[in-house]
Amino acid sequence: MARPTATASTLTRARLTRAQAELSARDPKMALAIERVGACTLLPRREGSHFGHLARNIIFQQLSGSAASTIHGRFTALVGGDAQAPDPRAILATSEDALRTCGLSQAKVRAVRDLAQHVVDERLPLHALHTMDDQQVIDALVPVRGIGPWTAQMFLMFRLGRPDVLPVLDLGVRKGAQRIYRTRALPDAVRLEKLARNWRPWASVASWYCWRVLDLEDAGGW
């Protein structure tokens, strides 16, 4: 099963340090966010497999963390094997009714099984994703039921560690950008693209700071 492989475009601690310095130098407002939040910790998650990571993302969609963790635990126990790297063939061999007993909705059962089928059929070349550019990865993932552009972008950021992903429809990034740049209205996709001109080629890192600024706001630190 495919596991993450480092490439020239993968975030490392050294690249995160460089990203923080470059973002701070060219964007005073982002510099303030970086100063208040502290060092970025956006490193790729290397545990488990690409398949396990995507299946977990599908299961966690639109659920609270505790509920999703419980369902995911039942799911991995049912299909057996490595909890972080389940076997897609084992999932296809498990009936939809059995998967539903884990707490999965019918839509998520079909999505997880569709992901497994794409991998078994090799329509989704998990082993080669780390060699593709960002758009190629998105194009490879979105034909799978339950995986849209946002999920594909989260895979690029958190699994592959790609440095220049801008999730323009992510509500947290938009709210964080509104806070950092003091915009009157919540920025839409077009406005966020304009605000993010100074973020390139580190849009993933800047987006991470947008999320973290909201944590500061909740704690009274912004």
Side-chain angles (χ1 to χ4, degrees):
M1 189 58 58
R3 295 175 184 271
T5 303
T7 69
S9 61
T10 299
L11 284 170
T12 62
R13 293 189 187 280
R15 290 191 180 109
L16 287 175
T17 299
R18 177 183 169 189
Q20 290 163 207
E22 292 184 4
L23 287 167
S24 295
R26 69 170 67 113
D27 189 328
K29 293 181 179 179
M30 181 58 68
L32 179 60
I34 291 171
E35 179 183 353
R36 292 188 177 179
V37 171
C40 180
T41 60
L42 181 61
L43 291 172
R45 297 171 180 168
R46 301 194 176 280
E47 69 279 359
S49 67
H50 288 346
F51 178 81
H53 185 88
L54 289 167
R56 185 181 185 278
N57 280 355
I58 290 172
I59 291 170
F60 270 64
Q61 287 172 5
Q62 298 178 327
L63 290 176
S64 67
S66 59
S69 294
T70 298
I71 293 171
H72 184 254
R74 293 171 182 164
F75 166 78
T76 55
L78 176 66
V79 300
D82 186 339
Q84 294 185 349
D87 184 350
R89 289 178 175 80
I91 292 170
L92 292 175
T94 304
S95 70
E96 291 192 9
D97 287 343
L99 291 170
R100 285 291 304 274
T101 65
C102 300
L104 292 172
S105 66
Q106 186 65 43
K108 290 188 178 181
V109 167
R110 290 175 178 172
V112 170
R113 286 175 60 86
D114 191 52
L115 172 63
Q117 193 67 61
H118 271 76
V119 173
V120 170
D121 293 345
E122 299 185 352
R123 286 177 286 164
L124 177 57
L126 289 182
H127 64 282
L129 291 180
H130 68 279
T131 69
M132 300 178 183
D133 66 33
D134 292 355
Q135 189 58 51
Q136 288 173 329
V137 173
I138 292 172
D139 291 343
L141 290 174
V142 295
V144 177
R145 184 192 295 264
I147 297 181
W150 181 86
T151 301
Q153 288 174 326
M154 296 303 102
F155 182 85
L156 284 168
M157 293 175 68
F158 291 100
R159 182 66 181 176
L160 297 184
R162 297 295 174 84
D164 198 29
V165 180
L166 179 62
V168 294
L169 299 180
D170 185 276
L171 184 58
V173 172
R174 294 167 62 203
K175 285 184 174 181
Q178 181 183 26
R179 175 62 58 178
I180 291 169
Y181 294 97
R182 305 292 185 181
T183 63
R184 183 172 299 177
L186 187 68
D188 59 13
V190 174
R191 176 62 172 153
L192 186 60
E193 287 278 6
K194 291 180 179 178
L195 291 174
R197 287 172 180 169
N198 286 334
W199 299 0
R200 306 294 188 178
W202 306 111
S204 297
V205 178
S207 296
W208 183 90
Y209 277 104
C210 289
W211 285 318
R212 298 290 78 79
V213 159
L214 296 180
D215 294 338
L216 283 182
E217 183 181 4
D218 290 342
W222 185 264

